[in-house]
Each structure stands twice: as structure tokens, then as C-alpha cells.
Amino acid sequence: MNEQPKTSANSTTHFGFRDVPVGDKQKLVGEVFTSVARSYDLMNDLMSFGIHRLWKRHFVAVSGVRRGDRVLDLAGGTGDIAALLKPVVGESGEVVVGDINAAMLGVGRDRMTDRGLVSGLRWAQLNAECLPFPDNSFDAVTMAFGLRNVTDKDAALADICRVLKPGGRALVLEFSKVRSELFSKLYDFHSFKILPRLGQLFAGDADSYQYLVESIRKHPDQETLKGMMERAGFGRVEVRNLSNGIVAIHRAYKL
């Protein structure tokens, strides 16, 4: 299991494979996503061979979200998950897209407007560690490929639990620990040897892609994250591996 960083005032945390002061991580992560905002779809295609689109569709399909629900989609700046959720919640529901990065929110809002998806969507720049919503505000909270970039994951999970209504669902889609040793070696080769070069070639930014690869390896594995969600106050935490554990869906309930 992965060891989680301490978050005292004088402590450090990981930024990829580097140790940095806790207070610096948010700024550094922000710089990465500001840099890749316009090429974010390309980044995901390079990292997953395009399979991220299927993962996201499956994520929403098993979310349990229903017509009329109010859903908070965290780290949802580009609007991928919101676009899938909006037809599910319908006209009587609402999707609030929250992201800490203004550039990512701008890309997503423009994209959704171009597609005519405006009604029933709200956009909020926020920090997942201290959500600006009252207790018991949402039927579901989703977070796809964002938790690994949060400095204090325990604080974020606890606040997600706080803003959920009793019986509400938290769903996290995130890169995780590959289950096969052979496949893991192939995955590492693609991640560390190929991906940064592709990032430089297609986006002119090898460093941001290098960070993103490293951030995946530092993220808690399936069982560790399950335990973190239970400590945050969630019950009935379920884990579903996709693509041999390259990613995992964690679904939990506020009891």
C-alpha cells in the first residue's frame, strides 16, 4: 500500500517524484494544467490510447445518477463527465462543474456552449479540500482523474462526504495499480519512455506529461484509497478495476 504524506505546516508532499513544500503543490499543479488545458484531450488519448472515453462512459453508466439529481463534478473543467451526466439528470436536474483551474474551466465552458449544453449546468472555480457548499447539498459527487492532484486527499474526501445528502454517492475514477506484473512492465515503458516524448512532439510540453505519469505512480492504490474513503466517513465502498487495474472506480455512500 502507498504511504500517504503528512500535511503539517512544515511538511512536504510529492509533486510527481519530487518532494515539495505542501503549500507549493497547488501552484505547481495549477501551472501544469494551465499548460495542458488546450491539449487535455490529446493528453488523455496519449496516456490511455484513447480508452479514457470508454472509461468515462462506463463511470457515468454505473454511477447510479438519476433524473432530477443534483450532481457535483469535481476536477471536471473540460466538461467530459458533465456532458455525459447532463442527459441523465435531465431538465429537472443540475450538474455543477467544479475545478480549481480557471483555464480548464474556460475550455470546458466554451466546449459545452459550442455544443448547446448550457441549461442546467453551473461552473465554479473551487478547491476540493474546502468546498463552498452547505452540508447535504448533492445527490452525487463525481471526480474523474483529479483526486491524485489534490494536496490533502483526506480533507477532500471528508468534504465530499459533508456536501452529500444522506444516501448520496461519491464516485472516483482514477488511475490505479495494474494487477498483472507483465502488463505493468509494458505500461511503465509506455508511461516513462514514450509518453513524455509524445507530449513534447504533439504539445511541446514534455515536463507536464512527465509529472502526470509520476503523479499516477504516487496515487494510492485500490485498497489504500478504499480505506481512506472509509476513514472519511463513507460506507459500502466498492472498487471496480478497469483495463486490468490501469484505472479503478471507487463508489461509496454517505450513510
Side-chain angles (χ1 to χ4, degrees):
M1 293 188 181
N2 295 357
E3 182 179 349
Q4 293 305 298
K6 298 177 181 179
T7 56
S8 64
N10 297 321
S11 69
T12 61
T13 188
H14 59 81
F15 175 73
F17 290 162
R18 293 165 47 198
D19 289 331
V20 299
V22 168
D24 290 354
K25 181 170 179 177
Q26 181 177 313
K27 174 177 177 291
L28 292 168
V29 171
E31 290 172 351
V32 168
F33 281 92
T34 297
S35 173
V36 304
R38 293 291 170 185
S39 60
Y40 191 68
D41 281 341
L42 171 64
M43 177 191 74
N44 284 331
D45 285 334
L46 294 175
M47 293 179 74
S48 71
F49 301 102
I51 303 173
H52 72 98
R53 302 173 191 275
L54 299 177
W55 292 336
K56 290 171 182 175
R57 289 185 179 278
H58 184 71
F59 178 61
V60 172
V62 302
S63 67
V65 171
R66 300 182 293 268
R67 183 167 297 274
D69 278 355
R70 187 172 189 235
V71 183
L72 172 62
D73 180 38
L74 291 173
T78 57
D80 287 355
I81 299 299
L84 296 171
L85 286 168
K86 186 63 186 74
V88 179
V89 303
E91 293 302 317
S92 58
E94 181 182 52
V95 179
V96 179
V97 183
D99 201 296
I100 198 169
N101 188 279
M104 295 290 284
L105 282 170
V107 169
R109 187 166 47 238
D110 291 347
R111 178 184 299 166
M112 299 288 270
T113 301
D114 289 344
R115 295 173 59 180
L117 296 174
V118 178
S119 176
L121 286 172
R122 289 177 51 202
W123 302 82
Q125 186 173 3
L126 51 76
N127 187 332
E129 297 173 21
C130 48
L131 299 171
F133 304 108
D135 297 356
N136 309 320
S137 295
F138 296 96
D139 298 288
V141 178
T142 59
M143 195 173 196
F145 303 118
L147 184 61
R148 73 181 188 277
N149 298 305
V150 174
T151 303
D152 191 338
K153 297 175 180 62
D154 292 311
L157 292 170
D159 222 33
I160 289 170
C161 190
R162 178 186 66 79
V163 302
L164 277 170
K165 298 175 183 178
R169 298 166 304 287
L171 296 115
V172 176
L173 172 65
E174 190 54 89
F175 289 100
S176 200
K177 183 176 177 59
V178 175
R179 313 314 288 177
S180 163
E181 184 177 349
L182 175 60
F183 189 68
S184 179
K185 292 178 180 178
L186 295 172
Y187 181 50
D188 282 346
F189 179 79
H190 167 72
S191 298
F192 290 102
K193 301 298 184 181
I194 304 299
L195 186 58
R197 295 180 182 179
L198 292 176
Q200 182 63 45
L201 179 63
F202 289 103
D205 187 353
D207 290 344
S208 291
Y209 284 73
Q210 181 71 31
Y211 159 73
L212 291 163
V213 170
E214 293 175 0
S215 72
I216 292 169
R217 299 311 189 275
K218 297 294 288 186
H219 185 67
D221 63 18
Q222 289 90 330
E223 289 304 311
T224 304
L225 181 54
K226 179 181 179 182
M228 292 170 66
M229 296 183 80
E230 290 170 341
R231 289 194 298 275
F234 289 104
R236 295 170 54 194
V237 183
E238 305 165 356
V239 182
R240 180 177 301 198
N241 289 315
L242 303 180
S243 299
N244 204 16
I246 289 179
V247 300
I249 297 172
H250 285 68
R251 180 170 63 180
Y253 296 82
K254 179 176 179 177
L255 302 180

